[in-house]
Amino acid sequence: MSKHVLVLSDVREGKLRNVSFESIAAAKLAADGGQVTAAVFGSYAKDLAQPLSQYGADRVIAVTSSELDQYTTDVYFQAFKKVIEHVNPDVIFTGHTSVGKDLCPRIAAHLGYGLISDCIHVEVKDGKIVFTRPIYAGKAFVKKVVKDGVIFATIRPNNIPRNEPDMSRTPNVEELKVDLEPDSLRTLVKNIVKKSSGGVDLSEASVVVSGGRGMKSEDGFKILYELAGVLGGAVGASRGACDSGYCDYALQIGQTGKVVTPDLYIACGISGAIQHLAGMSNSKVIVAINKDPEAPIFQVADYGIVGDLFEVVPLLTEEFRQLLN
Ligand code: FAD
Protein backbone atom coordinates (compact mmCIF):
# COMPACT_ATOMS: atom_id res chain seq x y z
CA MET A 1 0.00 0.00 0.00
CA SER A 2 1.39 3.39 -0.96
CA LYS A 3 2.42 5.75 1.82
CA HIS A 4 2.84 9.45 2.40
CA VAL A 5 6.42 10.09 3.48
CA LEU A 6 7.66 13.35 5.01
CA VAL A 7 11.38 14.20 4.83
CA LEU A 8 13.04 16.89 6.93
CA SER A 9 15.78 18.52 4.84
CA ASP A 10 19.16 18.85 6.53
CA VAL A 11 20.56 22.30 5.84
CA ARG A 12 23.93 23.68 6.86
CA GLU A 13 24.91 27.29 6.22
CA GLY A 14 21.98 27.73 3.86
CA LYS A 15 22.92 24.69 1.74
CA LEU A 16 21.19 21.33 1.52
CA ARG A 17 23.35 18.47 2.72
CA ASN A 18 23.62 15.34 0.56
CA VAL A 19 21.73 13.33 3.15
CA SER A 20 18.61 15.37 2.31
CA PHE A 21 18.63 13.99 -1.24
CA GLU A 22 19.51 10.51 0.02
CA SER A 23 16.54 10.68 2.41
CA ILE A 24 14.28 11.69 -0.47
CA ALA A 25 15.52 8.67 -2.45
CA ALA A 26 14.75 6.45 0.55
CA ALA A 27 11.36 8.14 0.90
CA LYS A 28 10.54 7.47 -2.77
CA LEU A 29 11.23 3.76 -2.18
CA ALA A 30 9.20 3.71 1.04
CA ALA A 31 6.30 5.68 -0.48
CA ASP A 32 5.87 2.89 -3.06
CA GLY A 33 4.05 5.17 -5.49
CA GLY A 34 2.69 7.45 -2.75
CA GLN A 35 3.59 11.06 -2.02
CA VAL A 36 6.92 12.43 -0.81
CA THR A 37 6.79 15.78 0.96
CA ALA A 38 9.99 17.59 1.94
CA ALA A 39 10.05 20.15 4.75
CA VAL A 40 12.72 22.83 4.73
CA PHE A 41 13.33 25.47 7.39
CA GLY A 42 14.99 28.89 7.46
CA SER A 43 14.79 32.28 5.77
CA TYR A 44 16.27 30.77 2.55
CA ALA A 45 13.82 27.79 2.58
CA LYS A 46 11.95 28.72 -0.59
CA ASP A 47 15.22 28.93 -2.57
CA LEU A 48 15.93 25.30 -1.65
CA ALA A 49 12.59 24.01 -2.93
CA GLN A 50 13.86 23.67 -6.52
CA PRO A 51 16.62 21.10 -5.84
CA LEU A 52 14.36 19.21 -3.41
CA SER A 53 11.78 18.90 -6.16
CA GLN A 54 14.36 17.95 -8.80
CA TYR A 55 15.62 15.14 -6.57
CA GLY A 56 12.11 13.75 -6.14
CA ALA A 57 10.00 15.69 -3.61
CA ASP A 58 6.40 15.97 -4.85
CA ARG A 59 5.64 18.82 -2.48
CA VAL A 60 7.84 21.17 -0.46
CA ILE A 61 6.70 22.77 2.81
CA ALA A 62 8.82 25.86 3.48
CA VAL A 63 8.87 27.36 6.96
CA THR A 64 10.70 30.62 6.33
CA SER A 65 11.17 31.93 9.87
CA SER A 66 14.70 33.32 10.37
CA GLU A 67 14.71 31.79 13.87
CA LEU A 68 15.12 28.47 12.05
CA ASP A 69 18.34 29.48 10.25
CA GLN A 70 20.35 27.76 12.99
CA TYR A 71 19.33 24.50 14.55
CA THR A 72 18.22 24.64 18.15
CA THR A 73 16.16 21.92 19.72
CA ASP A 74 13.34 24.20 20.91
CA VAL A 75 12.58 25.96 17.62
CA TYR A 76 12.98 22.90 15.42
CA PHE A 77 10.83 20.86 17.80
CA GLN A 78 7.98 23.36 17.53
CA ALA A 79 8.31 23.87 13.77
CA PHE A 80 8.67 20.20 12.84
CA LYS A 81 5.80 19.15 15.10
CA LYS A 82 3.60 21.74 13.38
CA VAL A 83 4.67 20.45 9.95
CA ILE A 84 3.94 16.84 10.97
CA GLU A 85 0.48 17.80 12.23
CA HIS A 86 -0.15 19.71 9.00
CA VAL A 87 1.08 16.95 6.65
CA ASN A 88 -0.16 13.94 8.64
CA PRO A 89 2.38 11.51 7.11
CA ASP A 90 2.64 7.73 7.51
CA VAL A 91 6.45 7.78 7.72
CA ILE A 92 8.95 10.53 8.60
CA PHE A 93 12.59 10.52 7.46
CA THR A 94 15.53 12.67 8.55
CA GLY A 95 19.27 12.24 8.16
CA HIS A 96 21.09 10.33 10.91
CA THR A 97 22.91 13.57 11.67
CA SER A 98 23.27 15.59 14.84
CA VAL A 99 19.94 17.28 13.95
CA GLY A 100 18.06 14.04 13.25
CA LYS A 101 19.55 12.28 16.27
CA ASP A 102 18.52 15.11 18.58
CA LEU A 103 15.11 15.88 17.13
CA CYS A 104 13.52 12.56 16.15
CA PRO A 105 13.52 10.73 19.50
CA ARG A 106 12.15 13.86 21.18
CA ILE A 107 9.22 14.34 18.78
CA ALA A 108 8.61 10.59 18.43
CA ALA A 109 8.26 10.29 22.22
CA HIS A 110 6.09 13.40 22.36
CA LEU A 111 3.69 12.18 19.66
CA GLY A 112 3.82 8.50 20.66
CA TYR A 113 5.35 7.45 17.32
CA GLY A 114 7.97 4.75 16.73
CA LEU A 115 11.59 5.36 15.75
CA ILE A 116 14.14 3.31 13.80
CA SER A 117 17.50 5.03 13.79
CA ASP A 118 20.59 4.77 11.58
CA CYS A 119 18.93 3.02 8.61
CA ILE A 120 21.24 2.02 5.78
CA HIS A 121 18.67 0.42 3.47
CA VAL A 122 14.95 0.79 2.84
CA GLU A 123 12.75 -1.48 0.71
CA VAL A 124 9.12 -2.50 0.45
CA LYS A 125 8.17 -6.19 0.76
CA ASP A 126 4.61 -7.52 0.76
CA GLY A 127 3.35 -3.96 1.11
CA LYS A 128 5.43 -3.28 4.24
CA ILE A 129 8.48 -1.05 4.57
CA VAL A 130 11.57 -2.98 5.62
CA PHE A 131 14.32 -0.93 7.29
CA THR A 132 17.87 -2.31 7.64
CA ARG A 133 20.17 -0.97 10.35
CA PRO A 134 23.50 -2.11 11.81
CA ILE A 135 23.71 -3.53 15.32
CA TYR A 136 26.60 -4.61 17.61
CA ALA A 137 28.80 -1.77 16.34
CA GLY A 138 28.33 -2.80 12.71
CA LYS A 139 29.04 -6.52 13.26
CA ALA A 140 25.53 -7.54 12.21
CA PHE A 141 22.45 -6.09 10.54
CA VAL A 142 18.83 -6.24 11.57
CA LYS A 143 15.76 -5.80 9.36
CA LYS A 144 12.78 -4.11 10.96
CA VAL A 145 9.18 -4.04 9.79
CA VAL A 146 6.57 -1.70 11.22
CA LYS A 147 3.22 -3.35 11.87
CA ASP A 148 1.21 -0.19 12.42
CA GLY A 149 1.43 3.43 13.51
CA VAL A 150 3.55 6.31 12.31
CA ILE A 151 7.29 5.73 12.29
CA PHE A 152 10.32 8.00 12.29
CA ALA A 153 13.46 6.72 10.56
CA THR A 154 16.87 8.36 10.47
CA ILE A 155 18.96 7.66 7.35
CA ARG A 156 22.71 7.18 7.69
CA PRO A 157 24.54 9.56 5.30
CA ASN A 158 26.36 8.10 2.29
CA ASN A 159 24.47 4.79 2.15
CA ILE A 160 21.34 5.19 0.03
CA PRO A 161 22.24 6.67 -3.38
CA ARG A 162 20.35 9.81 -4.31
CA ASN A 163 18.24 9.75 -7.47
CA GLU A 164 19.33 11.41 -10.69
CA PRO A 165 17.84 14.92 -10.63
CA ASP A 166 15.05 15.73 -13.07
CA MET A 167 15.87 19.29 -14.07
CA SER A 168 12.49 19.76 -15.77
CA ARG A 169 10.58 19.55 -12.48
CA THR A 170 9.25 22.72 -10.91
CA PRO A 171 8.56 22.70 -7.21
CA ASN A 172 5.12 22.62 -5.68
CA VAL A 173 5.88 24.86 -2.69
CA GLU A 174 3.65 25.64 0.22
CA GLU A 175 4.73 28.21 2.77
CA LEU A 176 3.69 27.30 6.28
CA LYS A 177 3.63 29.85 9.06
CA VAL A 178 4.69 28.63 12.47
CA ASP A 179 4.11 30.86 15.49
CA LEU A 180 7.05 30.08 17.73
CA GLU A 181 6.26 30.61 21.40
CA PRO A 182 8.95 33.05 22.62
CA ASP A 183 8.77 31.78 26.23
CA SER A 184 9.63 28.25 25.17
CA LEU A 185 12.75 29.23 23.20
CA ARG A 186 15.39 28.56 25.80
CA THR A 187 18.51 28.63 23.64
CA LEU A 188 19.90 31.07 21.12
CA VAL A 189 22.89 30.42 18.84
CA LYS A 190 25.03 33.55 18.87
CA ASN A 191 28.12 32.33 17.11
CA ILE A 192 29.42 29.15 15.50
CA VAL A 193 33.07 28.23 15.90
CA LYS A 194 34.04 25.74 13.21
CA LYS A 195 36.40 22.86 13.78
CA SER A 196 38.02 21.98 10.51
CA SER A 197 38.46 18.53 9.01
CA GLY A 198 40.06 19.82 5.83
CA GLY A 199 37.19 21.80 4.37
CA VAL A 200 35.08 18.73 3.46
CA ASP A 201 32.28 17.54 5.75
CA LEU A 202 33.68 14.37 7.35
CA SER A 203 30.40 12.44 7.58
CA GLU A 204 29.56 13.11 3.92
CA ALA A 205 33.08 12.91 2.41
CA SER A 206 33.62 10.38 -0.36
CA VAL A 207 37.29 10.04 0.64
CA VAL A 208 38.48 9.97 4.26
CA VAL A 209 42.16 9.93 5.20
CA SER A 210 42.43 8.96 8.85
CA GLY A 211 45.31 9.02 11.27
CA GLY A 212 45.96 7.13 14.48
CA ARG A 213 48.46 7.17 17.29
CA GLY A 214 51.05 6.13 14.71
CA MET A 215 51.02 9.75 13.42
CA LYS A 216 53.16 10.52 16.52
CA SER A 217 52.23 14.24 16.81
CA GLU A 218 49.94 17.06 15.69
CA ASP A 219 52.64 17.94 13.17
CA GLY A 220 52.52 14.38 11.83
CA PHE A 221 48.92 14.97 10.73
CA LYS A 222 50.10 17.53 8.14
CA ILE A 223 50.86 14.79 5.61
CA LEU A 224 47.28 13.52 5.96
CA TYR A 225 45.86 16.96 5.17
CA GLU A 226 48.07 17.05 2.06
CA LEU A 227 46.83 13.65 0.87
CA ALA A 228 43.20 14.52 1.68
CA GLY A 229 43.62 17.81 -0.18
CA VAL A 230 44.84 16.06 -3.33
CA LEU A 231 41.99 13.53 -3.18
CA GLY A 232 39.32 16.12 -2.30
CA GLY A 233 38.65 14.29 0.95
CA ALA A 234 38.37 14.95 4.68
CA VAL A 235 40.74 14.05 7.51
CA GLY A 236 39.55 11.77 10.30
CA ALA A 237 41.22 10.19 13.30
CA SER A 238 41.16 7.36 15.79
CA ARG A 239 40.42 8.04 19.41
CA GLY A 240 44.03 7.13 20.12
CA ALA A 241 45.14 10.14 18.06
CA CYS A 242 42.53 12.42 19.67
CA ASP A 243 43.41 11.27 23.19
CA SER A 244 47.08 11.94 22.45
CA GLY A 245 46.22 15.53 21.51
CA TYR A 246 47.25 15.20 17.85
CA CYS A 247 43.87 16.47 16.62
CA ASP A 248 40.46 17.61 17.71
CA TYR A 249 37.79 15.18 18.93
CA ALA A 250 35.53 16.48 16.12
CA LEU A 251 37.64 14.24 13.84
CA GLN A 252 37.14 11.05 15.85
CA ILE A 253 35.69 8.12 13.95
CA GLY A 254 34.25 5.09 15.69
CA GLN A 255 31.78 3.86 18.23
CA THR A 256 31.96 7.06 20.26
CA GLY A 257 32.80 9.30 17.32
CA LYS A 258 31.45 9.80 13.82
CA VAL A 259 30.28 7.00 11.54
CA VAL A 260 31.56 7.35 7.98
CA THR A 261 30.89 5.34 4.81
CA PRO A 262 33.11 6.92 2.16
CA ASP A 263 34.02 5.36 -1.18
CA LEU A 264 37.63 5.29 0.01
CA TYR A 265 38.93 5.14 3.61
CA ILE A 266 42.69 5.34 4.12
CA ALA A 267 43.73 4.34 7.66
CA CYS A 268 47.23 5.48 8.57
CA GLY A 269 48.89 4.30 11.77
CA ILE A 270 45.61 2.94 13.15
CA SER A 271 45.67 -0.49 14.79
CA GLY A 272 42.01 -1.33 14.01
CA ALA A 273 40.37 -1.67 17.43
CA ILE A 274 36.75 -2.85 17.31
CA GLN A 275 35.58 0.57 18.52
CA HIS A 276 37.30 2.23 15.55
CA LEU A 277 35.98 -0.33 13.06
CA ALA A 278 32.43 0.47 14.25
CA GLY A 279 32.77 3.86 12.59
CA MET A 280 34.36 2.94 9.25
CA SER A 281 34.07 -0.77 8.41
CA ASN A 282 31.19 -0.14 5.96
CA SER A 283 33.42 2.07 3.79
CA LYS A 284 33.40 0.84 0.20
CA VAL A 285 37.19 0.46 -0.18
CA ILE A 286 39.54 0.40 2.81
CA VAL A 287 43.29 0.96 2.50
CA ALA A 288 45.43 0.42 5.61
CA ILE A 289 48.99 1.63 6.10
CA ASN A 290 50.67 0.17 9.17
CA LYS A 291 54.17 -0.98 10.01
CA ASP A 292 52.85 -3.95 11.97
CA PRO A 293 51.77 -6.75 9.57
CA GLU A 294 49.67 -8.29 12.38
CA ALA A 295 47.63 -5.11 12.98
CA PRO A 296 43.89 -6.02 13.06
CA ILE A 297 43.08 -3.20 10.61
CA PHE A 298 44.45 -5.45 7.83
CA GLN A 299 41.58 -7.90 8.48
CA VAL A 300 39.04 -5.37 7.20
CA ALA A 301 41.29 -3.71 4.61
CA ASP A 302 40.82 -4.29 0.87
CA TYR A 303 44.40 -3.11 0.28
CA GLY A 304 47.14 -3.23 2.91
CA ILE A 305 50.52 -1.52 2.84
CA VAL A 306 53.00 -2.73 5.45
CA GLY A 307 55.45 0.08 5.97
CA ASP A 308 56.35 3.33 7.65
CA LEU A 309 53.50 5.76 6.99
CA PHE A 310 55.90 8.72 6.98
CA GLU A 311 57.47 7.21 3.85
CA VAL A 312 54.32 5.74 2.26
CA VAL A 313 51.87 8.66 2.64
CA PRO A 314 54.03 11.31 0.88
CA LEU A 315 54.70 8.84 -1.96
CA LEU A 316 50.96 8.22 -2.35
CA THR A 317 50.26 11.96 -2.29
CA GLU A 318 52.79 12.56 -5.05
CA GLU A 319 51.44 9.69 -7.18
CA PHE A 320 47.83 10.88 -6.82
CA ARG A 321 48.88 14.46 -7.54
CA GLN A 322 50.40 13.38 -10.85
CA LEU A 323 47.51 11.06 -11.70
CA LEU A 324 44.80 13.60 -10.96
CA ASN A 325 46.46 16.62 -12.56
P1 FAD B 1 47.08 2.24 18.62
O1 FAD B 1 46.21 1.10 18.98
O2 FAD B 1 48.14 2.62 19.57
O3 FAD B 1 47.69 1.91 17.20
C1 FAD B 1 48.68 2.68 16.58
C2 FAD B 1 49.10 1.93 15.33
O4 FAD B 1 50.02 2.70 14.61
C3 FAD B 1 49.77 0.59 15.60
O5 FAD B 1 49.08 -0.43 14.91
C4 FAD B 1 51.20 0.76 15.06
O6 FAD B 1 51.70 -0.43 14.47
C5 FAD B 1 50.98 1.83 14.03
N1 FAD B 1 52.18 2.65 13.76
C6 FAD B 1 52.98 3.28 14.65
N2 FAD B 1 53.96 3.97 14.01
C7 FAD B 1 53.77 3.75 12.68
C8 FAD B 1 54.45 4.20 11.51
N3 FAD B 1 55.50 5.01 11.58
N4 FAD B 1 53.99 3.77 10.32
C9 FAD B 1 52.93 2.94 10.21
N5 FAD B 1 52.23 2.49 11.30
C10 FAD B 1 52.64 2.91 12.51
N6 FAD B 1 38.68 4.31 19.27
C11 FAD B 1 38.36 4.93 18.11
O7 FAD B 1 39.18 5.05 17.19
N7 FAD B 1 37.10 5.46 17.96
C12 FAD B 1 36.13 5.37 18.91
O8 FAD B 1 35.02 5.88 18.71
C13 FAD B 1 36.46 4.69 20.14
N8 FAD B 1 35.54 4.54 21.11
C14 FAD B 1 35.88 3.82 22.22
C15 FAD B 1 34.89 3.58 23.20
C16 FAD B 1 35.21 2.83 24.31
C17 FAD B 1 34.13 2.58 25.33
C18 FAD B 1 36.52 2.34 24.48
C19 FAD B 1 36.86 1.50 25.69
C20 FAD B 1 37.48 2.57 23.54
C21 FAD B 1 37.19 3.33 22.40
N9 FAD B 1 38.15 3.57 21.43
C22 FAD B 1 37.79 4.19 20.28
C23 FAD B 1 39.57 3.28 21.65
C24 FAD B 1 40.05 2.01 20.96
O9 FAD B 1 39.81 0.91 21.80
C25 FAD B 1 41.56 2.09 20.66
O10 FAD B 1 42.23 2.33 21.87
C26 FAD B 1 41.95 3.17 19.67
O11 FAD B 1 41.15 3.07 18.50
C27 FAD B 1 43.42 3.01 19.31
O12 FAD B 1 43.80 4.08 18.46
P2 FAD B 1 45.00 3.83 17.44
O13 FAD B 1 44.69 2.69 16.54
O14 FAD B 1 45.28 5.16 16.81
O15 FAD B 1 46.23 3.56 18.40
Side-chain angles (χ1 to χ4, degrees):
M1 204 179 75
S2 62
K3 299 261 190 297
H4 185 177
V5 186
L6 172 66
V7 175
L8 176 64
S9 312
D10 209 307
V11 179
R12 187 173 287 176
E13 294 171 355
K15 290 198 184 111
L16 288 160
R17 301 180 75 195
N18 284 339
V19 72
S20 305
F21 305 124
E22 294 163 4
S23 299
I24 290 176
K28 279 275 184 212
L29 291 168
D32 200 18
Q35 197 182 21
V36 173
T37 300
V40 59
F41 296 167
S43 46
Y44 34 70
K46 278 197 276 184
D47 300 338
L48 303 177
Q50 179 90 10
L52 289 169
S53 158
Q54 288 169 343
Y55 277 93
D58 303 304
R59 179 162 68 128
V60 178
I61 308 274
V63 186
T64 52
S65 166
S66 60
E67 276 128 322
L68 293 157
D69 284 356
Q70 294 294 348
Y71 177 79
T72 66
T73 308
D74 294 334
V75 280
Y76 265 60
F77 176 84
Q78 287 188 37
F80 199 30
K81 190 163 135 315
K82 176 86 189 274
V83 171
I84 293 167
E85 285 161 359
H86 178 71
V87 171
N88 197 18
D90 302 303
V91 187
I92 304 158
F93 283 175
T94 73
H96 191 68
T97 58
S98 43
V99 169
K101 285 189 265 185
D102 185 53
L103 195 59
C104 291
R106 189 177 298 263
I107 303 188
H110 186 82
L111 296 174
Y113 295 169
L115 167 67
I116 301 175
S117 65
D118 203 11
C119 299
I120 57 164
H121 187 69
V122 173
E123 63 196 312
V124 175
K125 271 195 183 152
D126 303 327
K128 292 208 181 305
I129 309 172
V130 184
F131 299 89
T132 307
R133 71 176 303 267
I135 51 169
Y136 303 128
K139 282 262 174 217
F141 299 92
V142 66
K143 284 181 186 283
K144 296 199 170 206
V145 176
V146 184
K147 286 196 179 146
D148 59 355
V150 181
I151 190 84
F152 271 91
T154 63
I155 305 294
R156 184 188 280 200
N158 251 340
N159 274 267
I160 297 172
R162 57 188 184 176
N163 295 327
E164 281 300 315
D166 176 353
M167 298 311 205
S168 67
R169 275 172 76 112
T170 47
N172 166 15
V173 195
E174 181 188 344
E175 197 171 342
L176 185 72
K177 190 154 169 35
V178 175
D179 293 319
L180 300 164
E181 294 163 28
D183 289 351
S184 62
L185 308 181
R186 294 167 297 177
T187 47
L188 173 70
V189 178
K190 292 194 131 179
N191 188 18
I192 296 201
V193 181
K194 279 202 204 162
K195 288 181 175 171
S196 169
S197 59
V200 181
D201 184 345
L202 185 54
S203 44
E204 296 204 325
S206 56
V207 177
V208 174
V209 181
S210 247
R213 209 174 266 135
M215 299 312 301
K216 305 277 192 283
S217 67
E218 189 179 351
D219 219 35
F221 260 73
K222 280 185 186 157
I223 57 171
L224 302 188
Y225 281 99
E226 277 169 37
L227 179 54
V230 169
L231 294 173
V235 172
S238 71
R239 178 153 140 192
C242 300
D243 283 345
S244 305
Y246 304 163
C247 57
D248 194 275
Y249 280 101
L251 268 57
Q252 185 182 318
I253 289 165
Q255 190 179 318
T256 44
K258 292 196 168 77
V259 175
V260 295
T261 5
D263 295 332
L264 175 62
Y265 187 89
I266 306 179
C268 308
I270 294 176
S271 59
I274 179 81
Q275 296 89 353
H276 186 76
L277 302 187
M280 47 62 75
S281 59
N282 288 330
S283 304
K284 287 165 197 96
V285 174
I286 298 171
V287 176
I289 305 166
N290 199 302
K291 66 180 184 186
D292 173 9
E294 303 297 325
I297 191 77
F298 288 126
Q299 286 168 21
V300 296
D302 299 286
Y303 300 95
I305 303 173
V306 178
D308 185 339
L309 67 91
F310 292 102
E311 288 170 23
V312 176
V313 173
L315 287 174
L316 279 180
T317 307
E318 207 35 57
E319 279 298 312
F320 281 125
R321 193 172 276 137
Q322 283 178 19
L323 267 174
L324 299 173
N325 265 338

